Amino acid sequence: MLYLQALGLYSIALLAGFIALKELISTLILGRELRRLHCTIPPRYPQKIPYVGSDLINILDRSRQRGALFSKLQQLFRAYGKTFQATIWGQTIVYTIDAANVQVVHTREFKSFGVEPIRKTVNQGWMGDGIFVSDGPIWKHSRTLLRPTFSKEQFADLLGLDVHVKRLLALVPRDETTVDLQLLFQRLFLDMSTEFLFGESAQSLLPGSARLDVDQFNVSFNRALLGMTKRTASGRALALFNRDREWQEAYTKVHAVIDGYINRALEQQHMASNAIKPTNNTQDRRFLRDQLLNVFLPARDSSAIGLSDLFFNLARHPEVWRRLRLEVLGIDQPLTFDLLKSLKYLQCVLKESLRLLAPADVSYRTCLSDCILPSGGGITGKEPIYIRRGTRLEMRFGVMHRDQDYWGPEAEEFRPERWLDGMRPKWKYIPFLGGARVCPAQQMILTQYAFVLVRFLQEFEEIENRDPEFAFVEEIKFGKKSKNRVKVAFKVAPS
């Protein structure tokens, strides 16, 4: 036993020495390149264990477990600037909330950064080859297949959406007792996304009529998301030392459900008019699962989180609810896409909620070829920085959305009125990302949020927070949601 322990310690020391030597050589080469290109590098986080970075990993992981990762990241950016770097297991990681860098990565240097080394390598069995995890030709092919799916024509007819929302409203108590909207919205988007993508709703909002074991599916899906989040965030370290059999079992169960939808669609030779048509493109079941899962994941999870967060904010700001009701009570016609877009204050509320609580508030990229970003170096933090191939980039735009340099002293406050003057923050505000990888479902999601909110405003006069914890306590899986859920009560509007 002592021999094995000594061997293990020796192996770790040998690995650390190898990493340190590799980093030393790399640093010498980097210095030469910096002088040649007349640029610099970001400030470095002062790691206790150089080139390994386990101390920073532990700090961030403990913060995540406490529901305080966001505030810890804010502290780090305040201490080291809008862009700083660390080295973890021999890989350089650059953290940034600089809007100029975010813009360049998603536009001019788009081809210099990719997602495959981060997302696909550690999630291959779970996500396969779809738009969310791929680069290059595979990504382009997936995008081409999916683009028609989210055209305005596919979601502008709101009659189908109203069917699901009526079922949802029927489950909301009218006697001012507490209801957890997070759970209901998760079921709402499960039903809508399965119908939209697979042509067959899960019907989880109809008691006794669900077409699958919703509770078991959600348990498996949430466990798969948790494993995905850990592997994506930890990268090569977790991929090397953690096989996570529970995660594999969970995503296998999710695959079985989606395969069932695909098999029924192929047998009937149809899919939803909105989805990828197997008769037109392919009947390869694995290919179809990869494409649909890569879209179903954010449709089911991120969309539900965003709507839950919207009501989380409104429950804590009843004056905003009352102002919204004044705007919608005059509506005496069926809700349409154009009508919802015309509700000026409601649109401001949606923007403000997504600014403060974007469901996915970080974008990970790997540098595929050496390049220069416009800001983050030097004493002022404004000089261009050199990014080497293999560097991992973490763009924490959720923190950027609350940066007082961009949003003023009231950056942390929920104040929809800031949008009334037609403010256009461009790359300082990217809840749906931007550039070529902008979320293709952006307009559909905003329409769904607006529709659901208007229907609630028409039904209920008041909303009341029933969570004893006023502040937002985060829980991070695929997205960032309220750990304490969204517990509220409603007062029915007079007839």
Side-chain angles (χ1 to χ4, degrees):
M1 182 62 70
L2 291 175
Y3 171 76
L4 292 175
Q5 290 178 346
L7 182 60
L9 292 173
Y10 175 76
S11 299
I12 293 174
L14 188 63
L15 176 61
F18 173 76
I19 292 174
L21 178 60
K22 177 175 175 290
E23 188 68 18
L24 176 61
I25 296 172
S26 180
T27 300
L28 294 174
I29 297 173
L30 174 62
R32 184 179 62 191
E33 288 297 296
L34 293 178
R35 290 189 294 273
R36 183 177 68 84
L37 296 170
H38 303 289
C39 56
T40 183
I41 59 174
R44 183 176 292 277
Y45 174 81
Q47 298 169 230
K48 294 179 181 179
I49 308 175
Y51 313 126
V52 176
S54 57
D55 53 325
L56 181 57
I57 294 174
N58 292 336
I59 288 171
L60 296 178
D61 190 56
R62 286 196 298 268
S63 299
R64 179 186 61 79
Q65 292 176 20
R66 296 196 311 271
L69 176 60
F70 188 86
S71 60
K72 174 56 66 176
L73 288 167
Q74 285 183 308
Q75 292 174 18
L76 290 173
F77 283 112
R78 291 190 191 110
Y80 303 108
K82 286 184 171 52
T83 303
F84 67 94
Q85 67 175 323
T87 303
I88 297 178
W89 294 107
Q91 182 181 32
T92 299
I93 301 181
V94 173
Y95 303 84
T96 188
I97 58 169
D98 193 310
N101 289 338
V102 174
Q103 178 179 5
V104 167
V105 169
H106 287 89
T107 55
R108 190 181 73 210
E109 293 290 350
F110 176 75
K111 293 183 179 180
S112 297
F113 292 88
V115 301
E116 277 193 15
I118 297 173
R119 295 178 182 172
K120 181 177 286 188
T121 304
V122 296
N123 292 294
Q124 182 69 46
W126 161 228
M127 296 297 292
D129 294 316
I131 192 171
F132 183 73
V133 298
S134 300
D135 296 321
I138 294 177
W139 170 74
K140 289 181 181 178
H141 180 54
S142 296
R143 185 182 61 172
T144 300
L145 289 177
L146 291 169
R147 184 183 291 116
T149 303
F150 299 107
S151 64
K152 179 182 174 182
E153 292 74 19
Q154 298 291 359
F155 63 83
D157 182 1
L158 303 179
L159 292 178
L161 175 58
D162 194 38
V163 171
H164 296 291
V165 176
K166 285 179 178 177
R167 294 172 180 174
L168 169 72
L169 289 169
L171 299 177
V172 178
R174 261 60 176 176
D175 58 359
E176 300 184 35
T177 55
T178 302
V179 60
D180 179 5
L181 290 180
Q182 190 179 90
L183 293 177
L184 288 181
F185 289 155
Q186 188 176 76
R187 288 178 175 248
L188 172 67
F189 279 92
L190 175 63
D191 287 359
M192 292 194 302
S193 57
T194 49
E195 182 174 72
F196 185 77
L197 293 172
F198 307 137
E200 178 183 316
S201 172
Q203 295 189 352
S204 65
L205 290 171
L206 284 177
S209 301
R211 292 174 174 164
L212 56 86
D213 186 336
V214 175
D215 291 335
Q216 180 57 55
F217 178 78
N218 284 334
V219 168
S220 298
F221 204 99
N222 290 337
R223 179 62 183 86
L225 291 180
L226 179 61
M228 177 182 180
T229 300
K230 286 182 177 180
R231 298 172 76 83
T232 301
S234 301
R236 64 177 67 173
L238 191 62
L240 286 171
F241 301 115
N242 189 343
R243 299 302 178 187
D244 199 347
R245 292 186 182 277
E246 289 185 8
W247 175 64
Q248 294 172 344
E249 292 172 1
Y251 74 62
T252 299
K253 292 177 181 178
V254 175
H255 286 173
V257 172
I258 294 177
D259 288 345
Y261 278 110
I262 292 173
N263 290 336
R264 289 192 293 275
L266 289 175
E267 289 169 2
Q268 299 167 14
Q269 288 298 296
H270 82 279
M271 270 191 165
S273 60
N274 316 328
I276 302 170
K277 289 180 169 55
T279 52
N280 292 343
N281 293 300
T282 179
Q283 293 202 2
D284 183 331
R285 286 166 168 78
R286 175 62 186 268
F287 172 84
L288 288 170
R289 184 219 290 163
D290 290 350
Q291 305 309 310
L292 293 170
L293 179 58
N294 273 250
V295 179
F296 177 71
L297 189 152
R300 177 264 186 192
D301 205 66
S302 296
S303 300
I305 292 173
L307 186 60
S308 299
D309 292 344
L310 171 62
F311 279 78
F312 177 96
N313 283 318
L314 290 172
R316 286 152 177 78
H317 297 86
E319 74 284 357
V320 175
W321 183 272
R322 289 190 290 269
R323 182 168 177 177
L324 282 168
R325 272 183 54 81
L326 292 176
E327 185 174 49
V328 306
L329 285 182
I331 297 175
D332 58 357
Q333 57 183 296
L335 298 179
T336 65
F337 174 85
D338 292 329
L339 175 59
L340 293 173
K341 292 286 286 185
S342 72
L343 299 174
K344 189 173 182 180
Y345 188 64
L346 184 142
Q347 293 296 326
C348 292
V349 170
L350 297 184
K351 291 176 182 177
E352 183 71 349
S353 186
L354 288 168
R355 181 185 72 85
L356 289 176
L357 294 174
D361 64 354
V362 58
S363 181
Y364 300 101
R365 295 289 185 272
T366 295
C367 184
L368 305 178
S369 59
D370 296 353
C371 66
I372 297 174
L373 297 185
S375 183
I379 297 176
T380 63
K382 299 293 185 182
E383 296 181 20
I385 55 174
Y386 181 62
I387 305 295
R388 289 179 291 177
R389 181 177 181 271
T391 297
R392 176 184 170 115
L393 186 67
E394 292 193 13
M395 293 166 283
R396 293 281 176 176
F397 55 86
V399 179
M400 181 177 72
H401 287 174
R402 298 189 184 209
D403 189 334
Q404 292 189 8
D405 291 342
Y406 296 145
W407 299 93
E410 298 178 331
E412 295 280 352
E413 297 182 17
F414 180 74
R415 195 171 66 82
E417 292 75 15
R418 76 175 76 238
W419 298 91
L420 285 173
D421 60 358
M423 176 176 57
R424 295 180 178 275
K426 297 183 179 179
W427 287 91
K428 300 178 183 68
Y429 175 77
I430 51 168
F432 296 96
L433 286 182
R437 281 193 179 268
V438 66
C439 174
Q442 175 178 347
Q443 290 305 316
M444 183 179 77
I445 293 168
L446 291 173
T447 302
Q448 291 170 340
Y449 286 1
F451 185 91
V452 173
L453 179 54
V454 170
R455 294 291 287 110
F456 267 82
L457 290 164
Q458 291 172 332
E459 292 273 339
F460 301 108
E461 183 177 14
E462 295 179 8
I463 184 174
E464 179 186 342
N465 172 44
R466 289 289 175 85
D467 184 351
E469 178 68 60
F470 188 86
F472 185 87
V473 181
E474 67 201 37
E475 180 181 16
I476 300 175
K477 290 180 181 174
F478 174 67
K480 182 179 69 177
K481 65 181 180 180
S482 170
K483 186 176 183 179
N484 297 324
R485 304 195 176 178
V486 183
K487 299 168 186 173
V488 301
F490 292 97
K491 179 179 179 180
V492 178
S495 302

